[in-house]
Amino acid sequence: LAVIRSRDPRREPEKVSQLYDHLIVAKRECGERIGALTLEVFTQFLTSRADQIKNRLETEAVDFVVGVDNGRVKFAARPAGEKG
């Protein structure tokens, strides 16, 4: 399980890269396809998701979570500090 907190993925490329690496490793370990998921595409997705959560839930930061559940990769984004 990897949890990475981000205030703004645009300004934290090292965190985005770390999260991407965790996701790719988890997908490979579970035998899941990576497809066209490049770091650039992933960065755009994270930025969009972070903006949505921050605006809708009025939070300063977002926790991105990569885990494995029953042999499948799970990826979640939630307001920082929330248990999930």
Side-chain angles (χ1 to χ4, degrees):
L1 180 72
V3 180
I4 295 181
R5 182 164 293 173
S6 176
R7 289 180 174 275
D8 184 356
R10 290 174 203 86
R11 295 175 184 205
E12 299 169 315
E14 67 290 339
K15 288 184 179 182
V16 172
S17 182
Q18 243 183 330
L19 195 60
Y20 178 78
D21 291 345
H22 283 294
L23 185 63
I24 296 302
V25 167
K27 282 185 163 290
R28 285 192 177 129
E29 287 176 354
C30 291
E32 293 184 17
R33 289 186 18 203
I34 289 143
L37 184 63
T38 62
L39 181 57
E40 185 179 354
V41 168
F42 188 64
T43 301
Q44 290 170 351
F45 169 75
L46 285 189
T47 301
S48 166
R49 197 72 188 102
D51 288 347
Q52 287 173 354
I53 290 172
K54 284 168 35 182
N55 290 336
R56 194 175 67 221
L57 301 174
E58 297 180 4
T59 184
E60 288 290 311
V62 177
D63 285 345
F64 292 103
V65 185
V66 175
V68 176
D69 185 28
N70 291 324
R72 299 210 29 107
V73 175
K74 299 290 180 190
F75 178 78
R78 62 187 184 218
E82 235 182 56
K83 298 288 179 221

